[in-house]
Amino acid sequence: MRYLVVLCFMVISAFANQYYQFRNIDNNIELGMWSAKVTGDIKNNSSEVSYDKDLGYGKANNITYFQAGIDHSISWLPDIRITVDGLQESQKSSLTKPIVVADQNYTANINNEIQFSSVDMLLYNSKYSYYSKLRYGLDLKYVYFQNTIKQVGSSTSAVSKTDGKILLPYVGYKYNIDMINTVLEAEVTGFSIGDIRVNSLSYGLKYYFMRGSYLSFGYKKESYKATNNDDDYSFNISGLTIYCLV
């Protein structure tokens, strides 16, 4: 995944160097914190286990993410934005019922670890009105998901892993409230192909406290569904976000 991240930022740098002579180019970098709660489940013909109710992921997890983008006035060329975030978390839990994951039987105490990361390379155009802007385009998304379960006091363990690139349609909308230096904003992407389904939703507000700088507060949800062998994974991370433009 790190090679894809490097490639994405090389594209942004090349874009900026190539078109530096054009006016009205807005480069921005965002640093953010995401207080995300994990929900979802693992289902098969033998059992069903919940991430929050059975595996102990009910509390929020703090995720730091990075975003960089370029907005410009070149009509024939799309704007570009790169977002990188991810979650790695582990929990110990005492099962109240036997479960089967990746053809392995588990009872009593287990250790569970999840790793989820995504890289979004967004290309979009915009339509403007006096107070609002509609954005539309494509999101080339790389997703990595891994679930590891180990039986405490036993050698029984299983690793389920899925990764891949998916091209998603993107729609975004923002509305300016100039009198209080605030922007309301919402974005959504979603697509399913084969055994993989990915959706993303976010909304919130941005308060501009000085020229070119703002604080943002809102809600974000990433949903990921996939089939791995006999198991159907439904994995969601959702919660409050806060970030700033520098």
Side-chain angles (χ1 to χ4, degrees):
M1 185 184 73
R2 63 178 181 273
Y3 299 110
L4 180 61
V5 175
V6 172
L7 176 61
C8 291
F9 286 108
M10 287 177 63
V11 171
I12 286 184
S13 298
F15 180 96
N17 290 331
Q18 181 68 29
Y19 295 102
Y20 72 94
Q21 70 271 28
F22 289 88
R23 301 186 65 180
N24 300 322
I25 290 181
D26 182 19
N27 305 321
N28 60 77
I29 296 175
E30 292 180 358
L31 300 174
M33 180 68 71
W34 186 8
S35 181
K37 181 180 179 180
V38 174
T39 58
D41 47 50
I42 306 171
K43 296 180 179 179
N44 53 48
N45 292 329
S46 302
S47 65
E48 177 179 342
V49 59
S50 168
Y51 279 107
D52 50 339
K53 296 177 182 178
D54 299 318
L55 299 181
Y57 287 96
K59 296 182 179 180
N61 304 273
N62 292 325
I63 303 173
T64 301
Y65 67 92
F66 178 80
Q67 181 172 288
I70 296 175
D71 292 333
H72 57 80
S73 58
I74 307 169
S75 60
W76 54 270
L77 200 63
D79 297 324
I80 184 171
R81 191 177 74 196
I82 308 295
T83 305
V84 181
D85 57 16
L87 171 70
Q88 181 172 347
E89 186 71 19
S90 61
Q91 293 288 344
K92 295 181 180 179
S93 58
S94 297
L95 296 174
T96 58
K97 58 185 178 181
I99 64 170
V100 177
V101 179
D103 297 325
Q104 297 286 344
N105 296 289
Y106 296 93
T107 59
N109 299 322
I110 63 171
N111 292 326
N112 179 267
E113 181 182 85
I114 51 176
Q115 297 180 47
F116 179 84
S117 58
S118 65
V119 179
D120 293 89
M121 183 175 181
L122 182 64
L123 301 173
Y124 62 94
N125 287 312
S126 303
K127 285 188 176 182
Y128 298 86
S129 67
Y130 189 75
Y131 289 109
S132 63
K133 179 165 73 170
L134 175 66
R135 296 182 294 210
Y136 55 92
L138 295 173
D139 179 12
L140 177 58
K141 188 180 189 75
Y142 171 81
V143 176
Y144 177 89
F145 174 80
Q146 179 173 303
N147 192 98
T148 304
I149 298 181
K150 297 181 180 180
Q151 181 81 54
V152 176
S154 170
S155 60
T156 301
S157 64
V159 178
S160 300
K161 181 170 63 175
T162 305
D163 67 330
K165 304 176 186 69
I166 305 175
L167 192 62
L168 307 173
Y170 161 83
V171 176
Y173 180 79
K174 62 188 303 183
Y175 184 83
N176 296 311
I177 308 176
D178 292 336
M179 64 181 66
I180 56 174
N181 298 324
T182 300
V183 173
L184 304 179
E185 193 167 22
E187 298 181 322
V188 62
T189 62
F191 193 67
S192 62
I193 180 170
D195 293 329
I196 298 177
R197 179 181 176 185
V198 178
N199 293 297
S200 178
L201 168 69
S202 65
Y203 56 85
L205 60 86
K206 296 176 180 177
Y207 172 70
Y208 287 80
F209 57 88
M210 60 182 295
R211 180 179 177 84
S213 298
Y214 60 76
L215 291 174
S216 176
F217 182 77
Y219 174 85
K220 182 177 180 180
K221 180 177 181 179
E222 289 268 359
S223 298
Y224 170 77
K225 293 184 178 181
T227 297
N228 194 302
N229 295 323
D230 296 327
D231 302 316
D232 291 325
Y233 288 85
S234 174
F235 179 74
N236 308 299
I237 46 178
S238 60
L240 301 177
T241 63
I242 183 168
Y243 56 87
C244 63
L245 174 76
V246 295

